[in-house]
PDB file of all heavy atoms in Angstrom:
ATOM      1  N   PRO A 316     -44.320  -3.241 -43.640  1.00  0.00           N
ATOM      2  CA  PRO A 316     -44.984  -3.106 -44.958  1.00  0.00           C
ATOM      3  C   PRO A 316     -44.266  -2.096 -45.791  1.00  0.00           C
ATOM      4  O   PRO A 316     -43.745  -1.049 -45.351  1.00  0.00           O
ATOM      5  CB  PRO A 316     -46.357  -2.603 -44.570  1.00  0.00           C
ATOM      6  CG  PRO A 316     -46.590  -3.020 -43.159  1.00  0.00           C
ATOM      7  CD  PRO A 316     -45.183  -2.960 -42.574  1.00  0.00           C
ATOM      8  N   PRO A 317     -44.078  -2.370 -47.112  1.00  0.00           N
ATOM      9  CA  PRO A 317     -43.438  -1.476 -48.049  1.00  0.00           C
ATOM     10  C   PRO A 317     -44.149  -0.200 -48.149  1.00  0.00           C
ATOM     11  O   PRO A 317     -45.401  -0.140 -48.087  1.00  0.00           O
ATOM     12  CB  PRO A 317     -43.304  -2.249 -49.303  1.00  0.00           C
ATOM     13  CG  PRO A 317     -44.367  -3.315 -49.239  1.00  0.00           C
ATOM     14  CD  PRO A 317     -44.532  -3.609 -47.792  1.00  0.00           C
ATOM     15  N   ALA A 318     -43.375   0.942 -48.485  1.00  0.00           N
ATOM     16  CA  ALA A 318     -44.003   2.226 -48.626  1.00  0.00           C
ATOM     17  C   ALA A 318     -44.932   2.269 -49.723  1.00  0.00           C
ATOM     18  O   ALA A 318     -45.949   2.987 -49.727  1.00  0.00           O
ATOM     19  CB  ALA A 318     -42.859   3.324 -48.705  1.00  0.00           C
ATOM     20  N   LYS A 319     -44.621   1.618 -50.914  1.00  0.00           N
ATOM     21  CA  LYS A 319     -45.505   1.652 -52.068  1.00  0.00           C
ATOM     22  C   LYS A 319     -46.904   1.174 -51.762  1.00  0.00           C
ATOM     23  O   LYS A 319     -47.815   1.671 -52.308  1.00  0.00           O
ATOM     24  CB  LYS A 319     -44.882   0.840 -53.233  1.00  0.00           C
ATOM     25  CG  LYS A 319     -43.600   1.536 -53.765  1.00  0.00           C
ATOM     26  CD  LYS A 319     -43.056   0.828 -54.936  1.00  0.00           C
ATOM     27  CE  LYS A 319     -41.794   1.461 -55.514  1.00  0.00           C
ATOM     28  NZ  LYS A 319     -41.296   0.709 -56.651  1.00  0.00           N
ATOM     29  N   ALA A 320     -46.954   0.090 -50.974  1.00  0.00           N
ATOM     30  CA  ALA A 320     -48.320  -0.469 -50.671  1.00  0.00           C
ATOM     31  C   ALA A 320     -49.179   0.603 -49.956  1.00  0.00           C
ATOM     32  O   ALA A 320     -50.359   0.757 -50.284  1.00  0.00           O
ATOM     33  CB  ALA A 320     -48.120  -1.695 -49.781  1.00  0.00           C
ATOM     34  N   THR A 321     -48.552   1.316 -49.088  1.00  0.00           N
ATOM     35  CA  THR A 321     -49.380   2.403 -48.381  1.00  0.00           C
ATOM     36  C   THR A 321     -49.819   3.502 -49.406  1.00  0.00           C
ATOM     37  O   THR A 321     -50.891   3.973 -49.285  1.00  0.00           O
ATOM     38  CB  THR A 321     -48.439   3.064 -47.335  1.00  0.00           C
ATOM     39  OG1 THR A 321     -48.036   2.027 -46.468  1.00  0.00           O
ATOM     40  CG2 THR A 321     -49.191   4.047 -46.488  1.00  0.00           C
ATOM     41  N   LYS A 322     -48.918   3.847 -50.329  1.00  0.00           N
ATOM     42  CA  LYS A 322     -49.278   4.848 -51.319  1.00  0.00           C
ATOM     43  C   LYS A 322     -50.373   4.392 -52.213  1.00  0.00           C
ATOM     44  O   LYS A 322     -51.342   5.192 -52.549  1.00  0.00           O
ATOM     45  CB  LYS A 322     -48.053   5.136 -52.168  1.00  0.00           C
ATOM     46  CG  LYS A 322     -48.235   6.313 -53.015  1.00  0.00           C
ATOM     47  CD  LYS A 322     -46.908   6.655 -53.767  1.00  0.00           C
ATOM     48  CE  LYS A 322     -46.974   7.860 -54.702  1.00  0.00           C
ATOM     49  NZ  LYS A 322     -45.817   8.193 -55.342  1.00  0.00           N
ATOM     50  N   ARG A 323     -50.470   3.127 -52.616  1.00  0.00           N
ATOM     51  CA  ARG A 323     -51.456   2.595 -53.420  1.00  0.00           C
ATOM     52  C   ARG A 323     -52.833   2.613 -52.734  1.00  0.00           C
ATOM     53  O   ARG A 323     -53.838   2.885 -53.271  1.00  0.00           O
ATOM     54  CB  ARG A 323     -51.140   1.217 -53.939  1.00  0.00           C
ATOM     55  CG  ARG A 323     -50.070   1.141 -54.933  1.00  0.00           C
ATOM     56  CD  ARG A 323     -50.108  -0.222 -55.677  1.00  0.00           C
ATOM     57  NE  ARG A 323     -49.792  -1.261 -54.846  1.00  0.00           N
ATOM     58  CZ  ARG A 323     -48.530  -1.688 -54.589  1.00  0.00           C
ATOM     59  NH1 ARG A 323     -47.514  -1.138 -55.142  1.00  0.00           N
ATOM     60  NH2 ARG A 323     -48.378  -2.734 -53.738  1.00  0.00           N
ATOM     61  N   VAL A 324     -52.861   2.316 -51.496  1.00  0.00           N
ATOM     62  CA  VAL A 324     -54.062   2.439 -50.702  1.00  0.00           C
ATOM     63  C   VAL A 324     -54.621   3.805 -50.659  1.00  0.00           C
ATOM     64  O   VAL A 324     -55.821   4.012 -50.853  1.00  0.00           O
ATOM     65  CB  VAL A 324     -53.769   1.837 -49.304  1.00  0.00           C
ATOM     66  CG1 VAL A 324     -55.036   2.034 -48.442  1.00  0.00           C
ATOM     67  CG2 VAL A 324     -53.427   0.429 -49.312  1.00  0.00           C
ATOM     68  N   ALA A 325     -53.742   4.782 -50.561  1.00  0.00           N
ATOM     69  CA  ALA A 325     -54.229   6.197 -50.521  1.00  0.00           C
ATOM     70  C   ALA A 325     -54.800   6.593 -51.895  1.00  0.00           C
ATOM     71  O   ALA A 325     -55.881   7.233 -51.896  1.00  0.00           O
ATOM     72  CB  ALA A 325     -53.057   7.105 -50.172  1.00  0.00           C
ATOM     73  N   HIS A 326     -54.269   6.155 -53.038  1.00  0.00           N
ATOM     74  CA  HIS A 326     -54.804   6.521 -54.320  1.00  0.00           C
ATOM     75  C   HIS A 326     -56.194   5.806 -54.492  1.00  0.00           C
ATOM     76  O   HIS A 326     -57.128   6.407 -55.054  1.00  0.00           O
ATOM     77  CB  HIS A 326     -53.897   5.936 -55.469  1.00  0.00           C
ATOM     78  CG  HIS A 326     -52.644   6.832 -55.573  1.00  0.00           C
ATOM     79  ND1 HIS A 326     -52.649   8.171 -55.351  1.00  0.00           N
ATOM     80  CD2 HIS A 326     -51.374   6.464 -55.902  1.00  0.00           C
ATOM     81  CE1 HIS A 326     -51.450   8.628 -55.502  1.00  0.00           C
ATOM     82  NE2 HIS A 326     -50.605   7.623 -55.840  1.00  0.00           N
ATOM     83  N   ALA A 327     -56.260   4.592 -54.043  1.00  0.00           N
ATOM     84  CA  ALA A 327     -57.578   3.876 -54.100  1.00  0.00           C
ATOM     85  C   ALA A 327     -58.650   4.667 -53.349  1.00  0.00           C
ATOM     86  O   ALA A 327     -59.813   4.748 -53.830  1.00  0.00           O
ATOM     87  CB  ALA A 327     -57.468   2.486 -53.590  1.00  0.00           C
ATOM     88  N   SER A 328     -58.289   5.270 -52.236  1.00  0.00           N
ATOM     89  CA  SER A 328     -59.281   6.024 -51.431  1.00  0.00           C
ATOM     90  C   SER A 328     -59.755   7.195 -52.198  1.00  0.00           C
ATOM     91  O   SER A 328     -60.889   7.577 -52.181  1.00  0.00           O
ATOM     92  CB  SER A 328     -58.643   6.389 -50.087  1.00  0.00           C
ATOM     93  OG  SER A 328     -59.524   7.101 -49.258  1.00  0.00           O
ATOM     94  N   ARG A 329     -58.747   7.943 -52.802  1.00  0.00           N
ATOM     95  CA  ARG A 329     -59.168   9.068 -53.533  1.00  0.00           C
ATOM     96  C   ARG A 329     -60.007   8.793 -54.779  1.00  0.00           C
ATOM     97  O   ARG A 329     -61.002   9.456 -55.073  1.00  0.00           O
ATOM     98  CB  ARG A 329     -57.912   9.894 -53.994  1.00  0.00           C
ATOM     99  CG  ARG A 329     -57.208  10.575 -52.864  1.00  0.00           C
ATOM    100  CD  ARG A 329     -56.260  11.659 -53.380  1.00  0.00           C
ATOM    101  NE  ARG A 329     -55.127  10.938 -54.069  1.00  0.00           N
ATOM    102  CZ  ARG A 329     -53.977  10.579 -53.518  1.00  0.00           C
ATOM    103  NH1 ARG A 329     -53.824  10.743 -52.246  1.00  0.00           N
ATOM    104  NH2 ARG A 329     -53.044  10.029 -54.216  1.00  0.00           N
TER     105      ARG A 329
END
Side-chain angles (χ1 to χ4, degrees):
K319 291 183 178 180
T321 304
K322 188 175 181 180
R323 285 198 297 270
V324 171
H326 288 326
S328 177
R329 286 197 294 270

